[in-house]
Amino acid sequence: MAMRMSSLFLRTLRENPADAEVPSHQLLVRAGYIRRVSPGIYTWLPLGLKVLRRVEEIVREEMDAIGAQELLFPALLPREPYEATGRWTEYGPNVFRLKDRKEGDYLLGPTHEEMFTLAVKDMYSSYKDLPVSLYQIQTKYRDEARPRAGILRGREFVMKDSYSFDIDEAGLDKSYQLHRDAYVRIFDRLGFHYVIVQAMAGAMGGSKSEEFLATADNGEDTYVRCPNCAYAANVEAVQVAAPEVTDAATAPPAHDEATPDAATIATLVDRLNELVPGTSPHGGPWAATDTLKTVVVMLVHPDGTREPLAMGIPGDREVDEKRLGAQVDPARVEAFEEKDFAAYPTLVKGYMGPRALGSASASGIRFLVDPRVVDGTRWVAGGNAPGVHTVDLVAGRDFVADGVIEAAEVRPGDPCPSCGTGLEAARGIEMGHIFQLGTKYAEALDLKVLDESGKLRTVIMGSYGVGVSRAVACIAEGNHDELGLLWPRNISPADVHLVATGKDRTRAPQVFETAEVLTRELEAAGLTVLLDDREKVSPGVKFKDSELIGVPTIVVVGKSLENGVIEIKDRRSGERREVPVAEAVAELVAEVRG
Ligand code: ATP
Ligand code: MG
């Protein structure tokens, strides 16, 4: 059945909604696809729902094609399984929690690992049942700290999530590859410009982890890629190559220098060049890269406990909040405040240095260093007294860190970890994430099957997500102009937007009648039609709406009917051509089927 604008549940808006900053959000609201209920919570109006369903269908077809089976879990879930895996606590404020009338704890599923794992445990017990891949297309709930850009980052959103279950690593590799290939087909069909980048692997068991990022200048994810080799990674996942150590054995003993008024790295470097010229590790003038700055933050663990964390970072770099966040997840990072300094009097603000840090030190504060701080490297750092810095401080000799942390910013031009060429940076939107989960959930929930020799083996899982509702926003983001949306053909809410431009049925009976006939014939030929059959609406308004709504082919039935022709307009190129009425259906079918 054609959608008729005369009765379609739709109101287009000429003005951008006040809270909408990115084009996809503005246009999806203005063109009547979605409507805000509350921050990060949106209603899908009829046109929007059509688009969402088309995206779902593409995802579904490709998942079915690799033999994955669709099921549907509830969104309302009991606490116990999430308690068993630790995620009831780990999720912290990101999960929506509620109680039933008997005071039992429930949550709205932010993701369903526990449910999939338990379902397989419930029904399968032998290696003969494996491999199996299961998926659902379902509404997820996350109380995001910063819901953004309409449905791009919602608090209620639609995700396709699938899980593979295998008896061994080789099986997992195969399931992973099948999903990866399916994702390539999905994102190709959705018309994205995308990159596949290395991503953070989970804390336990997981090994391979990749994200599909739609390239977008206003994307929230930053990734780097190597112009020379195949390396591409989300900055969160970049692993800095440790440098070779050259002068460890010959390094002079550490010595303190008075460096008053050297509160910044730049002033410190100037002071070093006056005080101890020509003694830098590389022989050249002192530089910011020779200094090691100490950054201290407060970690808040999911159970609420607070733990200070100190980091030693090369002085020329800032800490990257996202990289740090990904490293300490599920803990949150908060600023280290005056009262925290008061609680740790060994920390001298502005002059903290490695010798006062580390679990073996007086402060007992965990101290992690950048991968560039390998044993034998020589640094200048705070001297743990006001106005003092320590020079020729050698890692491993003068201080011992508790470990390494990838928290320093990654910059364009930094060497590629795999070939050394300068990296390039760009931005994107995470559309999909595939990773090898390993045995984390199977172990926590005791999912084991009997193997060939009758021994119980823990099942190995993979986890694969697609942001289905996010895809709608992302496609809109990449397909619009100043007039409105420009849907790719296979996503558009209709194949043809047919506009009847006569004033009303009495004054332009032929226009309306022809539009009706064409609509019937197009539908009989299998096309979907959005028919603008509104009476007493000016042609100008109808054209504006058709441009805003963004169906790729617009047909105008109007004045030119006197000459026996209608007009076919390509929304994307703006090209128009006149076609005899008698040939219109054949022309349009050919155009739409391409
Ligand atoms: P992000 O880093 O963007 O918060 P995530 O890594 O937490 O996402 P996953 O748990 O990997 O997300 O979820 C799988 C997919 O679901 C993501 O790749 C993304 O496309 C989509 N998604 C995640 N969170 C949201 C959200 N709040 N709104 C819409 N889509 C989302
Ligand atoms: Mg992810």
Side-chain angles (χ1 to χ4, degrees), residues 9 14 24 81 107 136 238 240 251-252 275 314 326 336 348 399 445 463 469 493 507 510 527 535 555 565 568:
F9 193 60
R14 292 287 162 249
S24 62
L107 73 160
Q136 63 174 345
V238 170
V240 173
L275 281 171
F336 201 78
V348 182
F399 67 91
L445 298 167
S463 155
S469 50
R507 260 170 284 194
Q510 214 207 337
L527 303 196
E535 295 184 86
V555 176
V565 296
I568 299 179

Side-chain angles (χ1 to χ4, degrees), residues 5-28:
M5 298 272 285
S6 58
S7 55
L8 185 62
F9 193 60
L10 171 75
R11 277 291 169 275
T12 55
L13 310 173
R14 292 287 162 249
E15 302 294 326
N16 285 327
D19 65 328
E21 277 159 16
V22 303
S24 62
H25 185 193
Q26 294 167 345
L27 290 170
L28 287 170

Side-chain angles (χ1 to χ4, degrees), residues 86 116 135 137 148 203 220 234 243 248 259 265 318 355 362 374 393 413 417 430 432 449 483 554 567 578:
F116 280 92
Y135 77 98
I137 296 176
R148 196 182 84 95
E220 281 185 73
N234 192 314
T259 52
I265 295 288
E318 299 301 324
R355 289 207 275 198
V374 287
L393 200 57
E430 182 187 323
V449 295
L483 301 174
I554 298 167
E567 189 181 81
E578 294 198 322

Side-chain angles (χ1 to χ4, degrees), residues 181-197:
D181 295 344
Y183 274 40
V184 166
R185 287 189 291 270
I186 289 169
F187 294 117
D188 283 347
R189 285 179 68 183
L190 292 178
F192 282 126
H193 295 287
Y194 65 93
V195 286
I196 305 175
V197 301

